[in-house]
Each structure stands twice: as structure tokens, then as C-alpha cells.
């Protein structure tokens, strides 16, 4: 359902300054009011400086004219002063601040509008590879993609979660052939459980098959024949392939459950799904002159990017042997998402090493006419996870780090931290909290760093109680809940907008009022860390408020007004943590 939301005070002030500009200087009515939060007053407008240049006036003079032109009659703005070279310092009416708190508290969505209403957003994320174990490399795409899916969903978009599983390709011919030739392999002998052991087995088989493929030309030939059989739909081969895919999906599902991400089996649309669209896709590219023959292969030569040899960068639409690969599939995928899913926006969440690949896919899709200016497309690129020592993340033995092991480690750390702080918790309660906070810590460490940067996976740091961590934020939320329990405040407090407003209350109220603005920015820039940073600042604004403004012992109407602030803080923190994909326990 669409919602217009509560207009943030920042927006109301900006509108008032815009009106003043239009009144004072109608010829510049389009000018940006340049309003932002300020330490000197509630807001500051820097509009006069660039405008003065435009109209040939002294900025101070123009500032004074604008200040006089701001309408104070609707009760939102109490005072406007000119300072320095023409800044406007703008102070809100106390009642307007309290009214906004009341309006947000009364709304299910805390007054956040559905700005993405009706937009179909396809988010390609997670996308682990079948027959391989999910490793630390798939953590970021899963966490970032999940948060974006939640944020866009909350903003009213029709989100399509696309888990582009690597479930197709020549490697499956090799693997199936190997399994068939090795009746002693665990694939035949072991009971296939619901846990991840069968995928570990697959992972080893895969490595063994690869080794044999590289060393034994006879096996390589039989493997190639097997690929052809798979692609031609040979029933036995396809049955074995399905078995392998199903086992892998089960183990991915176990990780998704543990991480608490939104992905379900309905979202699994792997590479194999596009198999029967590949030939048509290539034909269309050739017919429209975008793909050309090159030594028997069909390629798209970039008009924008050149490689190190000064030759155009190449996208392989069809290989010389007639086969299709990763590039071909992504061409068919973008075509399908636009033509059949009617996407308005396409997001691809993968690490930054795939930047060139996606740049080439987008360019080809534009040239062939699938991708138009009406459709937004982004490669949501992210940096690498490093070990605590700042070097590429490896196990002690030098292998890739399994995702489940990492999660176990974080949960164990948090369990120790919480148990120490809270010796009274029962073991069952401790388990639940440790799981929520441990997983939350991992997610928050990822989502609070700027996406494009590399970061170190450091269980000690990410589970600290103080500083910018997930555990700190969850504690902050639990603390507000505990105060509300003590105050006996079960229903939304009634706000008296004529009540007094202390500076710390004012800071907190203005911070709370900014949630929707930050959320829109995070969606716009595809940067969940803006939301994380906001929540951290909010938690600190709450702490300052709580230190200087007693809640439970205050007299009315102050008490109710403060309870309203606590309630809005708890709900904003819970909503924000939820949009980062984190739990917000009521007790910790
Ligand atoms: N399976 C790939 C990998 O593990 C990621 C796929 C990303 N999505 C896409 N449409 N290419 O690297």
C-alpha cells in the first residue's frame, strides 16, 4: 500500500526557504534552498551565497531579504537569523518538533513514505555455485543484497530476489562423469544428509574431477561427451545433475536460514534456467549487428572499453565450439529480466572484480536495445573480506574459509561477551541471544563499512559491546525497551506539543525525524552503511538524552513526552536493524 508519509522537518524548512526565494527573487525561483542541520540553530540555509552571485547582490543583503521573506505564520519555523556572509540560521517552533514526534509515533511506517511505489526492482545476489561450498566470498553479496531487498521492499518497490545460482556449465559434465566412474565415492556410499556434509563431499569430488580432467586426456574426452549429453537432455545425466543441484540447494538453504536472509527456494533462478534462451539471445545480438563472428566464435566487441592490448574488450556470446558460458548467460539474463520480468531497475550485487564483466553486459544490452534510458541498472560492487591480519582471508592451512565456521566463531564470541555481562541469563536464553547477536555482529560489521572498501573479518572487534558494532546497537535497543517496561508504557504515549523541549530532547527528536531521509539516501546510493551510520548516531543521541532527561520520575506532561521519544527511538532502531537484516531483541 502506498503512503505519503510525514514530511520531515528538513523538507518543510527547505520548502519555506524555497518559497522565500520565489517571493524575494521570482526570477531565481528554481534555486536550491541548500538546507541542512546545523550546530548553531536547528537548520541552516546557504542559499544566499550562490544566489547573490547570480543576481548581483551582496550575499548579506540577499540573506537579510530572504530571512524577512520566510513565512513564520504556519507555526513550523519560530525564528530566522542572518549570520556571517549571509547564512540563514533557522530555529523550529518547539510545538512543531513535538507534533512531528507524535505524527511518526502514530504511523505504522513511522511516517516514511513509499517512494519506490510501483517500481519493479530485480536484485541479483548471493548466487553461490552448485557443487561447491559457500565460502566467505559469498557472504557480502548475501548480506548486502538482503539489506537492499528489505530497504526497497519497505519503500514500496516490487522486489524480485534473483539468486543466480551457478548450476550450469561444462564442469557438471566433468563432475557427473567422475562420480559415475567412481562407485566408491562418498556420493554413492554416504547417506545424503540434510546438513552440509554432502556438499563438502561434492566439493572434494569436484576438486578430484578437475585434477583428473587436467591430467588424463581420456577422462577429459569422456567428460566433454557428458556435457553434450547433459545439454541434450539425456535422462540419466540430467537426473544426476538434479540430484547434485538439490543437495547443494539444501546446504545453501541451511546457511540462509542461519543468516536469516529473505532468500527462499522460489528465488533460485540459476544459470540453467536461461539455457533454452541462449540461442535466441545470440541470434538477436547478431541480427541487430551487436555481436559479430570472430574465428568461429560470436563476440560482442566493446565500443567503450579497450583491453591492455588496445583492442576492444570482448564479451563471449558463443564459444568457437558452439558452447555458451558465463557471458552468454548474463546476456540472456538481462534480456529476460527486462522483456519478461519488466524490470524498472536492475541491481547486480557481486564483488568489484566483476566490474568489467557487468560494464560489458550493460553496454551490449544498451546497444541491442533491451536496456533503455527508462531502466536503471547498477553493478553493486563491493570490496574483499580480509583476515584479522589485513591479508586475504584463508584458513591456517591456506584453504578457503567456510562460511558456517565463521558464523560459529562469531556466535561463540558473543555468547562469552553476553554471559559475562548478564550472568543471570538461562542457558537457553543465552543461546538465542548469542545466535541473534552473533549473526547480527557479522552482518553489521559488513554493512557498516562503505561497500566498495575491503574490510577485515575480526570476531573480537565486531562483537565488542562498545563502539560502532551490531551488539552495541542491539543493546541500545534492548535498553530502551527495558526503560519502557519499567515505565509501564504499553501503548503509544500521548504527546503534549505545548510541553517544554530540552536541548537533548530536541537533538533526539530531530535525529528521529531524519530516518526516512537517510533510508531514501541509502536506497539511492545503494549504500546500507548510511543507514548503519544513522542508527549509531541515533543510539548516541538517545544516550545523551537519557543521561540528562529522567523519564520515569518526571512530572506530566514531560514524562509522557519523554516516553514518546523512547517509544519512537525503540521503534526506529528496531525498524532500522530489521532493514539491515538484524534481529532487535527486547532483552539482552
Ligand atoms: N555465481 C557467481 C560467482 O560465484 C556470481 C553470479 C553473479 N550474478 C550474475 N548474474 N552473474 O561468482
Amino acid at each position: 500500500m502506498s503512503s505519503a508519509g510525514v514530511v520531515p522537518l528538513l523538507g518543510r524548512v527547505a520548502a519555506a526557504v524555497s518559497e522565500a526565494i520565489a517571493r524575494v527573487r521570482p526570477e531565481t525561483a528554481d534555486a536550491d534552498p541548500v538546507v541542512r542541520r546545523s550546530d548553531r540553530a536547528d537548520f541552516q540555509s546557504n542559499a544566499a551565497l550562490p544566489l547573490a552571485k547570480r543576481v548581483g547582490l551582496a550575499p548579506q543583503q540577499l540573506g537579510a531579504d530572504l530571512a524577512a521573506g520566510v513565512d513564520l505564520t504556519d507555526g513550523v519555523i519560530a525564528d530566522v537569523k542572518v549570520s556571517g556572509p549571509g547564512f540563514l540560521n533557522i530555529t523550529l517552533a518547539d510545538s512543531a518538533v513535538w507534533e512531528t514526534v507524535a505524527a511518526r509515533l502514530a504511523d505504522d511506517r513511522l511516517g516514511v513514505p513509499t517512494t519506490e511505489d510501483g517500481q519493479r526492482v530485480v536484485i541479483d545476489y548471493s548466487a553461490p555455485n552448485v557443487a561447491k561450498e559457500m565460502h566467505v566470498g559469498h557472504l557480502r553479496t548475501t548480506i548486502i543484497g538482503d539489506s537492499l531487498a528489505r530497504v526497497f521492499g519497505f519503500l514500496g518497490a516490487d522486489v524480485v530476489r534473483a539468486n543466480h545460482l551457478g548450476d550450469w556449465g561444462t564442469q557438471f559434465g566433468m563432475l557427473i562423469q567422475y562420480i559415475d566412474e567412481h562407485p566408491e565415492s562418498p556420493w554413492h556410499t554416504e547417506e545424503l544428509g540434510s546438513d552440509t556434509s554432502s556438499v563438502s563431499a561434492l566439493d572434494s569430488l569436484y576438486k578430484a574431477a578437475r585434477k583428473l580432467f587436467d591430467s588424463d586426456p581420456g577422462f577429459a574426452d569422456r567428460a566433454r561427451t557428458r556435457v553434450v549429453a547433459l545439454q541434450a537432455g539425456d535422462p540419466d545425466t540430467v537426473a544426476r545433475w538434479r540430484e547434485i543441484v538439490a543437495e547443494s540447494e539444501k546446504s545453501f538453504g541451511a546457511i540462509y536460514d542461519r543468516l536469516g536472509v529473505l532468500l527462499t527456494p522460489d528465488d533460485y533462478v540459476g544459470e540453467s534456467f536461461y539455457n533454452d534462451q541462449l540461442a535466441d539471445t545470440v541470434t538477436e545480438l547478431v541480427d541487430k549487428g551487436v555481436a559479430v563472428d570472430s574465428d568461429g566464435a560470436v563476440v560482442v566487441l566493446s565500443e567503450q572499453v579497450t583491453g591492455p592490448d588496445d583492442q576492444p574488450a570482448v564479451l563471449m556470446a558463443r564459444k568457437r565450439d558452439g558452447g555458451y558460458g558465463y557471458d552468454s548467460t548474463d546476456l540472456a539474463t538481462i534480456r529476460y529480466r527486462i522483456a519478461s520480468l519488466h524490470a524498472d531497475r536492475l541491481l547486480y550485487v557481486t564483488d568489484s572484480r566483476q566490474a568489467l564483466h557487468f560494464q560489458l553486459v550493460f553496454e551490449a544490452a544498451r546497444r541491442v536495445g533491451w536496456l533503455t534510458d527508462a531502466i536503471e541498472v547498477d553493478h553493486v560492487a563491493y570490496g574483499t573480506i580480509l583476515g584479522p591480519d589485513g591479508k586475504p582471508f584463508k584458513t591456517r592451512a591456506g584453504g578457503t574459509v567456510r562460511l558456517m565456521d565463521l558464523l560459529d566463531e562469531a556466535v561463540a564470541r558473543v555468547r562469552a561477551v553476553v554471559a559475562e555481562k548478564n550472568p543471570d541469563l538461562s542457558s537457553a536464553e543465552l543461546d538465542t541471544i548469542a545466535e541473534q547477536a552473533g549473526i547480527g555482529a557479522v552482518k553489521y560489521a559488513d554493512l557498516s563499512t562503505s561497500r566498495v572498501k575491503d574490510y577485515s573479518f575480526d570476531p573480537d572487534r565486531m562483537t565488542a559491546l562498545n563502539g560502532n558494532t551490531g551488539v552495541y546497537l542491539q543493546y541500545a535497543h534492548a535498553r530502551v525497551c527495558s526503560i519502557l517496561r519499567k515505565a509501564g508504557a504499553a501503548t503509544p504515549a500521548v504527546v503534549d506539543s505545548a510541553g517544554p523541549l530540552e536541548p537533548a530532547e530536541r537533538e533526539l527528536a530531530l535525529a528521529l525525524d531524519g530516518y526516512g531521509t537517510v533510508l531514501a539516501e541509502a536506497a539511492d546510493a545503494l549504500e546500507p552503511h548510511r543507514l548503519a551510520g544513522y542508527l549509531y548516531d541515533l543510539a548516541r543521541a538517545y544516550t545523551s538524552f537519557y543521561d540528562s532527561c529522567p523519564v520515569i520520575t518526571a512530572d506530566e506532561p514531560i514524562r509522557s513526552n519523554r516516553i514518546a521519544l523512547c517509544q519512537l527511538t525503540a521503534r526506529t532502531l528496531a525498524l532500522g536493524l530489521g532493514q539491515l537484516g538484524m534481529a532487535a531483541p527486547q532483552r539482552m
Side-chain angles (χ1 to χ4, degrees):
M1 237 199 295
S2 72
S3 157
V6 173
V7 181
L9 290 165
L10 176 81
R12 297 175 72 175
V13 169
V17 175
S18 284
E19 271 170 38
I21 294 172
R23 230 187 323 272
V24 173
R25 289 276 155 185
E27 74 277 21
T28 62
D30 60 326
D32 185 342
V34 210
V35 173
R36 60 174 81 99
R37 285 294 306 283
S38 149
D39 322 327
R40 305 198 193 170
D42 294 327
F43 295 100
Q44 185 175 68
S45 162
N46 295 355
L49 280 75
L51 256 193
K53 220 178 246 162
R54 227 168 113 183
V55 300
L57 261 185
Q60 237 152 350
Q61 179 56 52
L62 185 63
D65 293 350
L66 290 180
V70 172
D71 181 11
L72 305 182
T73 57
D74 64 1
V76 176
I77 296 173
D79 183 48
V80 186
K81 284 206 166 57
V82 191
S83 88
F87 301 125
L88 305 188
N89 288 332
I90 300 167
T91 303
L92 298 164
D94 295 356
S95 57
V97 176
W98 282 123
E99 276 159 17
T100 294
V101 170
R104 294 198 180 277
L105 200 54
D107 187 62
D108 278 351
R109 303 177 45 83
L110 307 184
V112 179
T114 48
T115 42
E116 299 287 330
D117 199 22
Q119 288 290 302
R120 172 157 283 199
V121 184
V122 179
I123 310 183
D124 182 315
Y125 68 107
S126 196
N129 299 314
V130 162
K132 293 195 194 156
E133 234 165 334
M134 238 172 129
H135 56 80
V136 60
H138 292 111
L139 185 64
R140 298 208 70 186
T141 169
T142 307
I143 293 176
I144 296 169
D146 185 61
S147 176
L148 291 175
R150 290 171 191 270
V151 169
F152 276 96
F154 182 76
L155 293 176
D158 170 14
V159 174
V160 178
R161 299 182 296 264
N163 194 356
H164 193 80
L165 297 177
D167 65 354
W168 201 241
T170 49
Q171 70 272 27
F172 291 100
M174 179 185 87
L175 181 60
I176 293 168
Q177 188 62 28
Y178 186 89
I179 289 174
D180 278 8
E181 290 182 16
H182 292 79
E184 80 292 355
S185 78
W187 193 255
H188 297 278
T189 55
E190 252 180 37
E191 208 34 39
L192 298 180
S194 62
D195 62 357
T196 51
S197 66
S198 52
V199 170
S200 317
L202 270 179
D203 203 286
S204 323
L205 285 171
Y206 184 86
K207 288 183 184 125
R210 162 73 53 197
K211 222 169 144 192
L212 195 59
F213 185 90
D214 291 337
S215 62
D216 178 347
F219 174 72
D221 273 345
R222 295 195 295 283
R224 284 195 197 96
T225 311
R226 206 60 192 263
V227 177
V228 177
L230 178 63
Q231 281 169 347
D234 166 61
D236 286 348
T237 307
V238 170
R240 179 56 36 97
W241 170 76
R242 277 195 212 292
E243 221 173 83
I244 293 171
V245 172
E247 278 310 311
S248 296
E249 286 184 351
K250 242 195 269 173
S251 86
F252 300 150
I255 293 202
Y256 296 149
D257 283 351
R258 180 132 196 232
L259 281 175
V261 295
L262 297 172
L263 290 169
T264 70
D266 288 345
D267 306 321
Y268 297 177
V269 185
E271 295 179 18
S272 61
F273 174 82
Y274 302 96
N275 187 45
D276 57 11
Q277 303 171 32
L278 296 171
D280 283 353
T281 301
V282 175
T283 305
E284 191 178 342
L285 285 162
V286 171
D287 287 350
K288 296 204 173 141
V290 176
V292 292
D293 182 278
S294 162
D295 268 344
V298 180
V299 298
V300 180
L301 301 176
S302 176
E303 292 174 346
Q304 286 165 2
V305 191
T306 47
D309 50 1
D310 265 346
Q311 297 296 310
V314 176
L315 208 54
M316 185 63 67
R318 190 170 65 215
K319 297 182 205 163
R320 202 177 309 166
D321 64 6
Y324 301 98
Y326 191 64
D327 292 358
S328 328
T329 306
D330 263 322
L331 287 165
T333 303
I334 196 165
R335 176 175 177 256
Y336 174 82
R337 288 180 183 164
I338 295 169
S340 302
L341 296 181
H342 307 291
D344 297 299
R345 186 156 192 189
L346 298 162
L347 305 180
Y348 292 82
V349 189
T350 80
D351 77 45
S352 41
R353 283 169 294 195
Q354 296 199 42
L356 176 61
H357 169 75
F358 286 111
Q359 195 185 345
L360 296 177
V361 170
F362 302 162
E363 184 198 327
R366 244 182 217 114
R367 278 164 61 192
V368 74
W370 303 328
L371 194 55
T372 61
D373 288 344
I375 301 167
E376 253 186 287
V377 62
D378 283 284
H379 175 216
V380 186
Y382 54 80
T384 310
I385 303 187
L386 307 169
D389 56 359
K391 303 212 177 92
F393 208 5
K394 293 274 181 262
T395 58
R396 268 204 206 117
T400 27
V401 181
R402 293 177 60 225
L403 206 44
M404 273 300 189
D405 296 341
L406 275 188
L407 299 180
D408 286 341
E409 193 181 344
V411 170
R413 277 288 315 150
V414 169
R415 200 175 196 281
V417 170
V418 177
E420 192 185 308
K421 174 144 179 139
N422 244 322
D424 306 338
L425 285 173
S426 74
S427 163
E429 271 177 306
L430 197 53
D431 284 344
T432 312
I433 291 171
E435 187 68 24
Q436 290 180 324
I439 301 294
V442 169
K443 289 186 173 182
Y444 190 81
D446 194 308
L447 294 171
S448 59
T449 18
S450 167
R451 176 164 56 68
V452 292
K453 287 200 193 134
D454 298 345
Y455 78 91
S456 290
F457 193 94
D458 183 343
D460 280 340
R461 218 190 37 189
M462 68 175 63
T463 57
L465 278 179
N466 287 311
N468 191 5
T469 67
V471 186
Y472 170 78
L473 281 180
Q474 286 172 322
Y475 254 115
H477 170 261
R479 213 174 41 204
V480 190
C481 291
S482 135
I483 291 157
L484 288 169
R485 273 194 305 273
K486 282 191 199 123
T491 52
V494 178
V495 175
D496 179 353
S497 59
L501 184 63
E502 298 279 328
E505 293 171 317
R506 189 176 201 102
E507 275 302 309
L508 178 59
L510 288 176
L512 289 164
D513 191 53
Y515 184 72
T517 309
V518 168
L519 197 63
E521 280 169 13
D524 221 42
L526 307 168
E527 288 180 342
H529 79 270
R530 296 184 187 224
L531 178 54
Y534 167 87
L535 294 175
Y536 183 55
D537 291 343
L538 177 62
R540 288 192 302 171
Y542 180 80
T543 304
S544 309
F545 154 79
Y546 193 68
D547 287 347
S548 61
C549 302
V551 176
I552 300 174
T553 54
D555 295 330
E556 291 296 349
I558 296 171
R559 186 177 192 270
S560 288
N561 281 5
R562 289 183 179 167
I563 287 177
L565 282 173
C566 292
Q567 289 173 325
L568 190 56
T569 302
R571 283 177 54 193
T572 306
L573 285 173
L575 184 64
L577 288 170
Q579 281 163 357
L580 295 178
M582 294 165 61
Q586 306 252 339
R587 290 168 208 268
M588 269 180 87

